[in-house]
Amino acid sequence: MSISAEALSWLTSDGSLTALLEAKAGQPLKVEPTFEGYRALTLAQKKQIGYQGAQLNRPVMAWVRESLLYGNSKEPWVAAQSIFPLTSLKGEAKRLQYLQGTPIGYVLFKRQTTLPHQRTIDWTEQGWRRNTLYNWYNRELLISETFLPAFSE
């Protein structure tokens, strides 16, 4: 599957995707949570976060938030999944469990414009997806964002 230069620029952008989406929409981003709760990480997720060896065979719980992000249309632009391993939800990071309809970019990029991260990009049935492992105050957070068809319209 080939990727357009415009799509690639969105998939590889640094900083807050929330801010970029709001600039494109010309209005605040609407976040509609579709799931919030505890889940065990999959093997692939554990590998993305950096677990190795025996850790890969043990259950690891995380707080997961799945949501749809709306710009200035009735159709969602992005399907997002945020994964916060329980070991990362300490101190300031505890508030990540209580985001509800608040864009995560408001929290992650409140004091800094970029964060250390590792990113992969792939194609799904829904559209192009970027999977980003952020290091936020020495806490690992895995965020996946799939750009849906309405985003390009």
Side-chain angles (χ1 to χ4, degrees):
M1 182 62 118
S2 64
I3 186 168
S4 71
E6 181 186 10
L8 187 61
S9 71
W10 282 94
L11 291 163
T12 59
S13 66
D14 288 330
S16 172
L17 181 63
T18 299
L20 294 173
L21 292 172
E22 288 183 339
K24 177 181 168 108
Q27 64 185 41
L29 195 63
K30 178 185 168 204
V31 177
E32 180 184 292
T34 57
F35 174 83
E36 287 184 295
Y38 295 102
R39 278 195 191 144
L41 294 177
T42 66
L43 179 60
Q45 290 165 337
K46 287 189 263 187
K47 286 180 179 179
Q48 282 182 291
I49 292 170
Y51 290 99
Q52 298 176 351
Q55 291 177 311
L56 293 173
N57 298 323
R58 294 188 185 118
V60 176
M61 294 301 290
W63 180 259
V64 177
R65 179 176 90 151
E66 295 174 351
S67 53
L68 297 172
L69 311 180
Y70 293 80
N72 57 7
S73 70
K74 293 183 187 222
E75 296 298 316
W77 282 5
V78 175
Q81 182 186 60
S82 303
I83 298 174
F84 314 116
L86 295 187
T87 56
S88 293
L89 291 174
K90 297 176 183 169
E92 280 288 305
K94 283 183 185 178
R95 66 183 165 169
L96 295 174
Q97 286 182 272
Y98 307 102
L99 291 173
Q100 298 176 339
T102 302
I104 193 168
Y106 289 1
V107 177
L108 296 185
F109 297 97
K110 183 176 182 177
R111 292 193 175 91
Q112 45 202 8
T113 57
T114 60
L115 292 171
H117 68 274
Q118 298 171 14
R119 179 170 295 148
T120 60
I121 297 169
D122 61 354
W123 173 256
T124 72
E125 290 180 10
Q126 291 184 299
W128 286 102
R129 175 177 62 196
R130 67 185 212 168
N131 300 299
T132 310
L133 177 64
Y134 288 104
N135 181 319
W136 186 63
Y137 297 107
N138 295 317
R139 290 172 177 83
E140 304 298 327
L141 314 173
L142 183 60
I143 300 177
S144 297
E145 295 138 332
T146 304
F147 291 81
L148 304 172
F151 175 77
S152 301
E153 296 171 2

